[in-house]
Amino acid sequence: MSSRLDGRIGVVIGGGSGMGRAISHRLAEEGVKVYVADLNGEAAEAVAKEIEQRGGRAVPVQVDATSVAELRALYARIEAEDGVLHIVHNQVGMPGAGGLDVSEEEFQRNIDVNVKSVFYSATLAFDLLKRAGKKASITMTASTSALVGSPFSPVYSLTKSALVGFTRALALVGAPDGIRVNCIAPGTVHTPMLASFFGRERGADVSALTKEFVAGIPLGRGAQPEEIASVVAFLASDDASFVTGVTVPIDGGLTAK
Ligand SMILES: NC(=O)c1ccc[n+]([C@@H]2O[C@H](COP(=O)([O-])OP(=O)(O)OC[C@H]3O[C@@H](n4cnc5c(N)ncnc54)[C@H](O)[C@@H]3O)[C@@H](O)[C@H]2O)c1
């Protein structure tokens, strides 16, 4: 039986862990040859190996997504090997510095990781995506903190809400070439990064803070990474062929309150 993404070429940037790992697996299960790109080269290799062991196709690549030169090299490699790209998903991001007393260094780092990496990973892929026969999809990762303010890290809300506006703009640029551009806004997701959102303050009781936050989620729990991956696979597929320029909350009802 054929799968809905059979024969497509995709890249998951930040694919070595958590949601990016689950998204790499899900896309591969649906027929995509996945370039698993990550700053952590060993993690990328491990995920690519898991995919191949399950019968999928994957290529690990070590990439620092804050480096324009390294992103250019990633797309040059995909061009040389496949000549086309259908799916770009960017998962890269970091918790913002807490509070208002943010050093210029921390501020710049947050901008580089949460904004610069997303801008260039999407725009540098355009030429390859134009060759996808109007079946191309870009997805980027914001957060519920883009839709409601984060009192813990205003700079996180600043960087993540920038992606919501960028998604709309890029969707307009991509539309004539059939490149759809969408954004996901996960709430609380059980990944290795989750603890660092609650561990900003020295001595914070991460487990108690997480429990308290999760209790306020209407569905009463955090998400598993696979519940994010299924939405990204939908957005990448022809099932979402008329969906572009939107940000989809995946938050168990958090922003419905
Ligand atoms: N976990 C959550 O609850 C949650 C909620 C909302 C949004 N997010 C967003 O999801 C993303 C994190 O995903 P996760 O929770 O699965 O985290 P994770 O830590 O499990 O995975 C992040 C991956 O990104 C890679 N990475 C980091 N910097 C990179 C860079 N410069 N270049 C290439 N790869 C890089 C890491 O090596 C790691 O493999 C961030 O954008 C974060 O803002 C997370």
Side-chain angles (χ1 to χ4, degrees):
M1 208 178 85
S2 71
S3 303
R4 64 181 170 174
L5 298 173
D6 260 349
R8 299 201 191 174
I9 310 297
V11 62
V12 178
I13 304 175
S17 174
M19 285 179 256
R21 173 177 171 272
I23 291 161
S24 298
H25 273 288
R26 177 67 189 244
L27 293 178
E29 281 160 18
E30 296 217 26
V32 178
K33 173 182 173 184
V34 183
Y35 286 81
V36 182
D38 204 286
L39 182 61
N40 182 339
E42 284 177 14
E45 273 177 30
V47 172
K49 201 177 250 177
E50 289 165 7
I51 289 173
E52 286 185 341
Q53 279 165 352
R54 295 182 196 178
R57 293 183 304 156
V59 181
V61 193
Q62 205 242 317
V63 175
D64 179 352
T66 65
S67 160
V68 172
E70 291 192 22
L71 286 171
R72 280 192 204 284
L74 167 69
Y75 291 128
R77 178 167 173 188
I78 296 173
E79 178 170 29
E81 284 188 28
D82 290 292
V84 65
L85 186 59
H86 301 83
I87 299 163
V88 174
H89 175 75
N90 191 339
Q91 189 66 38
V92 173
M94 65 184 288
L100 300 182
D101 187 12
V102 178
S103 71
E104 270 187 86
E105 241 180 0
E106 283 177 305
F107 182 84
Q108 192 56 51
R109 180 84 193 129
N110 285 167
I111 295 289
D112 286 350
V113 176
N114 289 356
V115 179
K116 181 185 175 191
S117 80
V118 182
F119 179 86
Y120 284 104
S121 65
T123 55
L124 294 174
F126 251 61
D127 284 345
L128 278 173
L129 293 167
K130 281 181 185 172
R131 303 176 197 171
K134 301 210 165 192
K135 286 185 183 294
S137 163
I138 296 174
T139 42
M140 51 190 97
T141 306
S143 160
T144 47
S145 296
L147 306 174
V148 293
S150 164
F152 309 109
S153 175
V155 75
Y156 188 64
S157 282
L158 168 67
T159 57
K160 290 297 188 177
S161 58
L163 304 186
V164 175
F166 178 49
T167 294
R168 294 195 191 105
L170 208 60
L172 301 181
V173 179
D177 292 304
I179 302 171
R180 294 179 300 100
V181 185
N182 294 294
C183 186
I184 57 167
T188 300
V189 189
H190 294 290
T191 72
M193 189 179 285
L194 183 59
S196 51
F197 285 104
F198 295 103
R200 289 186 180 105
E201 305 294 325
R202 198 184 291 262
D205 182 344
V206 174
S207 133
L209 288 170
T210 310
K211 230 183 211 169
E212 191 187 324
F213 192 83
V214 165
I217 298 172
L219 288 183
R221 62 177 180 85
Q224 293 303 321
E226 291 72 23
E227 295 177 285
I228 311 302
S230 56
V231 177
V232 172
F234 161 71
L235 290 171
S237 78
D238 298 350
D239 288 337
S241 53
F242 212 52
V243 181
T244 194
V246 302
T247 296
V248 183
I250 316 173
D251 65 356
L254 190 73
T255 54
K257 291 203 289 183

